[in-house]
């Protein structure tokens, strides 16, 4: 499937915003709502992980296709419908310039075609989508295929910011692009800081931290210096939560008033969690979230206590 065909299937972010939402209409708080967060469908990782060859494996992704189809079916059954479905990066496993990338992309786009037309898709870039050390070329490829790598949008009075976390990890080959995102982020945070939104929430692939702001540097978090600077910038602007993936396990913690939420994968599990999705309810006062296995969400739907929050 070409990027043009993909554009016919789902609204891609363009011009640093998501045209599925009319920003003027959506800037006003209209009452509680919810969205669905998923992460790391990562077509190809399950085979690569099972063979112990994460760099060159990944020539099969039938399991991930079935799991992502199951996720889409579960989301489509929900009533009321979520306002949107965000995928927090590592859409596919094959890195830029490696075998199977085109095929994995085509198959994921085919699966995502089935998402209910009334549930916009929000797509976040991960390290496998851009490369661990992104370049101008890999960022451009992502933007052409999936939409902008960073952007903002409004839903029901809440400001959502989608960030390219690879720029925080290693922007040595594209410093100008990182600088542009930094400048843009400062502008967006000034809106949040002026309290012009009910809440402000961030989506990015790599978590700031897994459990604590002071934890050691790890493959799965941002370095201490980077995370602390970014966390202070976000909390200073009143950001309520950051939702991430990357860890393939559920984790998270708090820093000041910021909730760092790390969700496990739709695809390959690296811990004891189940393939799943997170339901996130936004009320006037708080952001409440709960992780469901795909089977639970499909069979039970959303728990009654979360539904009650949406009636407030």
């Amino acid at each position: 499937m070409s990027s043009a065909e993909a554009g016919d299937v789902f609204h891609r972010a363009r011009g640093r915003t998501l045209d599925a939402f009319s920003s003027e209409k959506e800037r006003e708080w209209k009452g509680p709502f919810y969205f669905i967060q998923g992460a790391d469908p990562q077509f190809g990782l399950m085979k690569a992980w099972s063979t112990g060859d994460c760099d060159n494996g990944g020539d099969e992704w039938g399991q991930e296709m079935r799991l992502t189809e199951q996720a889409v079916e579960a989301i489509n059954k929900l009533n009321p419908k979520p306002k949107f479905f965000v995928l927090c990066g590592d859409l596919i496993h094959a890195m830029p310039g490696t075998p199977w990338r085109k095929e994995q992309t085509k198959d994921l786009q085919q699966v995502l075609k089935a998402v209910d037309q009334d549930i916009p898709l929000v797509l976040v870039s991960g390290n496998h989508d851009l490369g661990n050390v992104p370049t101008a070329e890999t960022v451009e490829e992502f933007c052409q295929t999936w939409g902008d790598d960073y952007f903002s949008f409004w839903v029901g009075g809440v400001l959502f910011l989608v960030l390219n976390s690879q720029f925080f990890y290693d922007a040595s080959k594209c410093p100008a692009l990182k600088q542009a995102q930094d400048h843009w982020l400062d502008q967006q945070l000034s809106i949040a800081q002026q309290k012009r939104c009910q809440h402000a929430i961030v989506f990015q692939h790599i978590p700031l931290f897994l459990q604590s702001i002071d934890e050691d540097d790890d493959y799965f978090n941002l370095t201490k210096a980077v995370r602390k600077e970014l966390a202070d910038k976000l909390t200073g602007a009143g950001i309520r939560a950051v939702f991430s993936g990357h860890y393939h396990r559920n984790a998270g913690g708090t820093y000041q008033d910021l909730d760092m939420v790390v969700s496990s994968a739709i695809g390959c599990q690296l811990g004891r969690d189940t393939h799943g999705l997170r339901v996130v309810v936004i009320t006037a006062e708080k952001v409440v979230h709960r992780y469901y296995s795909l089977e639970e969400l499909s069979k039970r739907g959303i728990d009654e206590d979360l539904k009650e929050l949406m009636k407030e």
Side-chain angles (χ1 to χ4, degrees):
M1 184 187 300
S2 70
S3 58
E5 290 172 306
D8 295 335
V9 174
F10 49 80
H11 295 279
R12 292 175 296 159
R14 286 284 181 259
R16 303 299 174 204
T17 192
L18 195 65
D19 67 358
F21 298 104
S22 166
S23 61
E24 290 307 315
K25 190 174 73 174
E26 293 289 350
R27 286 175 186 249
E28 186 181 329
W29 175 253
K30 301 182 183 73
F33 63 89
Y34 82 104
F35 64 87
I36 301 292
Q37 183 216 6
D40 301 272
Q42 204 160 340
F43 281 23
L45 177 58
M46 292 175 83
K47 169 72 180 293
W49 185 260
S50 70
T51 60
D53 186 5
C54 284
D55 291 332
N56 302 303
D59 59 342
E60 296 175 12
W61 49 91
Q63 291 180 87
E64 288 95 340
M65 280 192 72
R66 288 188 292 274
L67 288 162
T68 309
E69 286 167 354
Q70 190 180 349
V72 169
E73 288 165 8
I75 291 167
N76 287 347
K77 285 165 63 175
L78 293 172
N79 185 25
K81 297 181 194 297
K83 285 288 189 179
F84 59 87
F85 170 32
V86 57
L87 268 175
C88 281
D90 278 3
L91 307 177
I92 59 172
H93 180 63
M95 292 274 195
T98 65
W100 317 116
R101 184 170 174 87
K102 184 178 179 182
E103 292 83 356
Q104 289 173 6
T105 299
K106 179 182 176 184
D107 284 348
L108 177 57
Q109 289 182 335
Q110 189 65 32
V111 172
L112 294 178
K113 278 175 62 176
V115 176
D116 188 307
Q117 298 270 320
D118 294 328
I119 305 173
L121 268 169
V122 179
L123 300 169
V124 182
S125 61
N127 57 304
H128 281 262
D129 306 312
L130 299 169
N132 283 323
V133 185
T135 66
E137 291 74 24
T138 65
V139 171
E140 177 61 22
E141 183 207 357
F142 179 88
C143 293
Q144 289 297 321
T145 305
W146 298 108
D148 285 352
D149 57 323
Y150 62 92
F151 55 96
S152 65
F153 61 100
W154 290 80
V155 178
V158 177
L159 175 61
F160 293 94
L161 306 179
V162 173
L163 302 182
N164 179 342
S165 57
Q166 289 314 117
F167 291 159
F168 304 130
Y169 181 81
D170 187 343
S172 58
K173 292 187 178 178
C174 53
L177 295 182
K178 178 191 185 299
Q179 190 175 17
Q181 177 178 256
D182 288 345
H183 178 67
W184 172 89
L185 178 58
D186 287 343
Q187 292 177 321
Q188 297 296 314
L189 292 179
S190 72
I191 296 171
Q193 196 164 19
Q194 293 164 33
K195 307 299 181 197
R196 285 195 254 161
C197 50
Q198 190 74 21
H199 304 292
I201 290 171
V202 167
F203 300 121
Q204 62 184 54
H205 180 62
I206 302 177
L208 299 172
F209 54 86
L210 301 174
Q211 295 177 316
S212 166
I213 192 76
D214 297 317
E215 69 196 21
D216 291 339
D217 294 351
D218 188 277
Y219 172 77
F220 291 108
N221 61 20
L222 296 177
T223 62
K224 281 184 182 178
V226 171
R227 90 174 71 121
K228 186 70 166 59
E229 181 183 356
L230 181 56
D232 284 339
K233 184 182 284 192
L234 297 180
T235 55
I239 300 293
R240 292 296 301 268
V242 176
F243 289 88
S244 295
H246 190 50
Y247 192 41
H248 294 255
R249 285 153 283 205
N250 286 312
T254 56
Y255 173 65
Q256 297 179 14
D257 294 328
L258 180 73
D259 193 7
M260 179 66 246
V261 185
V262 185
S263 292
S264 197
I266 292 172
C268 188
Q269 301 299 308
L270 301 185
R272 296 179 179 178
D273 294 296
T274 54
H275 310 280
L277 295 164
R278 191 173 295 276
V279 173
V280 186
V281 178
I282 311 288
T283 75
E285 302 299 328
K286 55 192 175 181
V287 178
V288 181
H289 52 87
R290 186 171 301 161
Y291 189 84
Y292 290 80
S293 73
L294 297 181
E295 191 174 350
E296 283 175 332
L297 194 61
S298 183
K299 286 184 176 177
R300 287 202 338 245
I302 299 172
D303 292 321
E304 285 303 319
D305 63 322
L306 294 184
K307 286 184 178 179
E308 283 300 315
L309 288 174
M310 287 184 271
K311 296 176 183 176
E312 291 179 1

